[in-house]
Amino acid sequence: MASQENHANSSPDCDVIVIGGGPAGTTAATALARRGRRVQLFEKHRHPRFHIGESLLPMNIPILRDLGVLEEVDRIGIRKSAADFPADNERGFNVFDFTRNLENLPGFAYQVRRDEFDEILFRNCQRAGAVALENTEVLETHNSADSVSVTVRDASGLTRQVRARYLIDASGRDTFLGNQLKLKQRHARHRSAAVFAHFSGVERREAPWTGNISIYRFRTGSGQGWIWLIPLTHDITSIGAVLLPEHLKERGGALEPFLMNILHSVPALKMRMANARLHGNLEATGNYSYECRELAGPRWIMAGDSLAFVDPVFSSGVYLAMHGGMRAAELVDSVLEGAPERKLQRIYARELRAGIREFSWFIVRFTTPAFAWLFANPSNTMKIEEAIVSMLSGHVFDARRTLRRLRLFKSLYYIRSLLKLGETLGFRRELRGSKAA
Ligand SMILES: Cc1cc2nc3c(=O)[nH]c(=O)nc-3n(C[C@H](O)[C@H](O)[C@H](O)COP(=O)(O)OP(=O)(O)OC[C@H]3O[C@@H](n4cnc5c(N)ncnc54)[C@H](O)[C@@H]3O)c2cc1C
């Protein structure tokens, strides 16, 4: 953030500026406005606007209830009772039912169209008293000894400066401060890109699993990855493939046949898409796995995707964004009351990084054979399956019981990997032996 002269003699325009009107920014702004803070939020687009990230987690439910929007979300969403993953059984998939969690968490979530969902959050934040402006882009930020200011440009092209006591960067994958302060770094162990679209006419699971998110794995001649299928309202289904960025880059042709080739490579999905029609445009996003080196500094803090994003396989993004938005609001409110900023920021960073790390452990291993086997053959010995359901529900913060059981799952994963390695080496030895014979 560029530094600027001291403004000790003039009072700031508001207490807190928020960059971005997605789930993280609107959650933080609503929570702060409800605590009596004067908040100005700037969103460069106008709601409703398309956004990817349509599958919520059960741990979103308490936050939606706190924000007072649960009923509205219930009206626009599809109830999601479970996530299903491929398995070698008669029906071809295993269901991780959210009611079978370890710690009495909400037993369901929602699948939502993000244009509708984000607009609900945005209007709710305005109703809470935040000044939330659309079509207003933050161009620059400046830090001074006693305040922070931003330069914003509105739809008519006019620019002006706004000054506050604190800044929350909730700019999503634009990572406004991450870029400005050069804090953004690629994720060390994960690289992904995605191609996705909405379709109509896609077959749904039978009740009670009609609202499930379905995850598939694929392997085509040139690459491998995974696919999501998310049922939305009005017979729309969101389907996307997540793959290595080079696979997407080197496709050598149009996006639509590329995506359809991947989707049709999975027989079970091809069947569900027998009557599918593309609805709207295809979208693609390049390598999106990153994390910022610092999440906070003097008078600023990041929340949501602006601080890190790894991969959407467990639909954790919106929950992490809203949880982070809530926690950032608590921190800012306390600091404005005189609480020690650095100490609270360290606690915030430790907590959020631990949650992201927990999801990352599962994400980076998701396409390995040992992981696929364990997810296809879940066992509730020592309540491990219930702990997995809790993790899939988003229960990774303040979740000691769940995390202890997840450690057992991780041990099983390492044992299974060693066995697989042993099998592969044994197979190679046999192969060499038979060639020699
Ligand atoms: C392929 C893919 C699939 C995904 N699927 C899921 C899923 O199923 N479930 C899930 O939970 N998550 C999913 N996610 C992740 C999810 O999209 C994000 O985690 C979530 O939207 C983060 O919320 P946020 O508020 O941090 O950021 P965003 O929702 O991106 O909001 C940031 C806002 O800031 C605004 N903004 C940016 N820069 C500026 C600026 N300079 N001035 C003013 N405004 C600005 C943007 O316009 C935007 O509205 C997926 C992500 C990808 C890439």
Side-chain angles (χ1 to χ4, degrees), residues 378-391:
S379 145
N380 203 29
T381 313
M382 294 195 276
K383 297 193 182 288
I384 291 180
E385 189 183 351
E386 287 173 32
I388 292 287
V389 172
S390 294
M391 182 276 292

Side-chain angles (χ1 to χ4, degrees), residues 176-245:
F176 189 90
L177 286 181
N179 285 322
Q180 188 175 307
L181 302 175
K182 304 204 175 357
L183 299 172
K184 192 172 171 180
Q185 46 195 11
R186 291 247 160 109
H187 195 276
R189 295 196 55 192
H190 195 71
R191 291 176 312 117
S192 292
V195 198
F196 44 92
H198 283 172
F199 294 86
S200 58
V202 177
E203 191 184 300
R204 306 230 153 152
R205 295 273 188 236
E206 280 177 15
W209 307 126
T210 41
N212 280 12
I213 179 170
S214 300
I215 302 290
Y216 296 92
R217 290 188 181 79
F218 73 86
R219 189 181 282 275
T220 58
S222 52
Q224 59 167 336
W226 64 272
I227 294 165
W228 77 74
L229 185 155
I230 298 172
L232 300 171
T233 49
H234 308 300
D235 186 37
I236 295 298
T237 303
S238 167
I239 305 186
V242 172
L243 56 156
L244 281 174

Side-chain angles (χ1 to χ4, degrees), residues 34-141:
R34 291 218 177 124
R35 285 166 188 243
R37 297 292 173 193
R38 293 169 309 142
V39 183
Q40 295 205 19
L41 178 151
F42 303 109
E43 165 55 51
K44 69 178 176 182
H45 295 304
R46 184 169 180 76
H47 289 291
R49 53 102 177 88
F50 175 82
H51 203 296
I52 195 61
E54 297 141 323
S55 194
L56 307 185
L57 296 185
M59 289 305 287
N60 274 109
I61 302 294
I63 303 181
L64 296 172
R65 195 174 282 129
D66 259 25
L67 293 174
V69 294
L70 189 56
E71 278 178 23
E72 275 182 276
V73 172
D74 185 72
R75 276 198 291 277
I76 59 126
I78 292 236
R79 233 173 209 253
K80 168 187 175 187
S81 311
D84 60 63
F85 292 86
D88 211 5
N89 56 22
E90 207 174 303
R91 62 182 177 182
F93 61 92
N94 263 333
V95 172
F96 287 84
D97 174 353
F98 289 132
T99 58
R100 298 196 60 232
N101 64 70
L102 194 59
E103 309 201 45
N104 220 4
L105 310 173
F108 69 99
Y110 290 100
Q111 319 281 20
V112 293
R113 292 181 63 127
R114 284 288 300 277
D115 52 351
E116 296 174 336
F117 178 74
D118 287 19
E119 179 160 38
I120 288 175
L121 296 179
F122 194 84
R123 303 294 165 225
N124 189 55
C125 137
Q126 291 176 317
R127 280 197 299 275
V131 176
L133 302 178
E134 294 159 274
N135 286 331
T136 308
E137 182 171 7
V138 173
L139 302 176
E140 263 178 1
T141 65

Side-chain angles (χ1 to χ4, degrees), residues 260-331:
M260 294 317 289
N261 183 38
I262 290 176
L263 303 183
H264 286 168
S265 71
V266 181
L269 179 58
K270 188 174 178 189
M271 270 165 62
R272 287 180 76 177
M273 294 190 71
N275 299 313
R277 285 174 310 282
L278 185 64
H279 194 88
N281 297 327
L282 265 83
E283 306 265 346
T285 156
N287 187 9
Y288 50 60
S289 308
Y290 60 84
E291 189 159 356
C292 287
R293 271 187 289 114
E294 302 284 338
L295 316 184
R299 286 171 298 288
W300 63 268
I301 188 162
M302 298 171 176
D305 278 8
S306 69
L307 63 89
F309 187 69
V310 186
D311 190 279
V313 65
F314 299 120
S315 310
S316 52
V318 174
Y319 168 62
L320 290 175
M322 296 183 82
H323 175 82
M326 278 289 184
R327 300 287 290 117
E330 285 161 20
L331 177 149

